[in-house]
Amino acid sequence: MNYQLINLPFGASELEPVISAETIALHHGKHLATYVNNLNNLLPGSEFEELPLEEIVEKSSGGIFNNAGQILNHNLYFEQLQAPCDDNCPVGKLATAIDEQFGSFEVFKEKFTTAATTLFGSGWAWLASDADGNLHILQMPNADNPVTKGLKPLMTMDVWEHAYYVDYRNRRPDHIAAMWKILNWQEINRRYE
Ligand SMILES: [Fe+2]
């Protein structure tokens, strides 16, 4: 299996001012591209060569896990983003589940924001669902993904510094606060349903 760098579902400057075209060029064109190249170099001859990406992440460790995890994480991240919208909020079955489980979208946002801002070092904040459709907010370090816990990844925020340092310097909370404007809840709900 030879992995390809995904095409972005938005134009490079379409997420501005939340995320600049410069950050997208580095994050997608350099960081993600490096993970893709690394995995394509590591897979040949390994037991994971013919497995789908999610299964590689579930079963591997070391360099293969780190690069496969970062590809899966970034694909999910970039594919859930769209042009900014001020009144952006969840839709469909997922909107109902968020209200039922957290009380309101505002409460959910607060809890998720705390998870994303307090995660120590590099990693990802996740919204994931279990087999019963219950929602979980997770803090996961480095390249980890909810599939390693048997959960389905729905929405994520990348808190590696490369995701925000060009635009926000050290102000991770400001970046997280702005991210809510560019989440594509149609896509996130599709993952849940
Ligand atoms: Fe990233």
Side-chain angles (χ1 to χ4, degrees):
M1 185 106 57
N2 201 40
Y3 285 95
Q4 302 288 322
L5 180 65
I6 55 158
N7 291 316
L8 296 173
F10 47 81
S13 58
E14 217 179 312
L15 306 184
E16 292 185 346
V18 176
I19 299 177
S20 68
E22 186 185 0
T23 290
I24 292 298
L26 290 165
H27 199 180
H28 173 259
K30 301 292 181 189
H31 289 280
L32 178 53
T34 299
Y35 298 129
V36 172
N37 289 337
N38 289 346
L39 187 65
N40 286 333
N41 288 330
L42 289 166
L43 278 183
S46 78
E47 62 191 292
F48 306 106
E49 200 172 354
E50 299 304 326
L51 296 183
L53 191 57
E54 287 201 2
E55 228 177 301
I56 298 176
V57 176
E58 284 166 20
K59 294 176 178 169
S60 66
S61 61
I64 290 183
F65 172 81
N66 287 335
N67 287 285
Q70 285 295 72
I71 297 170
L72 181 60
N73 297 352
H74 283 93
N75 290 356
L76 288 161
Y77 172 79
F78 285 122
E79 286 171 348
Q80 59 164 20
L81 301 180
Q82 62 179 13
C85 165
D86 279 337
D87 301 320
N88 200 22
C89 61
V91 296
K93 207 175 144 188
L94 179 58
T96 308
I98 287 173
D99 284 344
E100 282 176 3
Q101 207 175 311
F102 296 96
S104 70
F105 177 47
E106 287 310 310
V107 174
F108 163 73
K109 260 171 90 168
E110 267 182 49
K111 288 186 191 295
F112 192 96
T113 297
T114 300
T117 51
T118 63
L119 197 164
F120 184 75
S122 297
W124 301 79
W126 292 95
L127 173 65
S129 60
D130 62 28
D132 297 323
N134 296 315
L135 300 172
H136 301 265
I137 294 171
L138 299 98
Q139 288 180 321
M140 304 192 90
N142 302 316
D144 208 357
N145 182 292
V147 298
T148 64
K149 296 185 182 300
L151 299 172
K152 185 199 285 184
L154 304 175
M155 184 274 278
T156 190
M157 292 195 194
D158 185 348
V159 299
W160 282 61
E161 285 185 343
H162 67 221
Y164 62 86
Y165 216 84
V166 168
D167 300 329
Y168 297 83
R169 299 299 170 186
N170 61 320
R171 301 188 309 277
R172 186 197 289 184
D174 292 353
H175 171 66
I176 299 301
M179 281 295 294
W180 297 101
K181 292 182 186 174
I182 58 168
L183 294 176
N184 179 345
W185 286 105
Q186 296 286 350
E187 167 60 16
I188 298 161
N189 181 57
R190 189 194 61 73
R191 294 171 185 174
Y192 182 62
E193 288 187 343

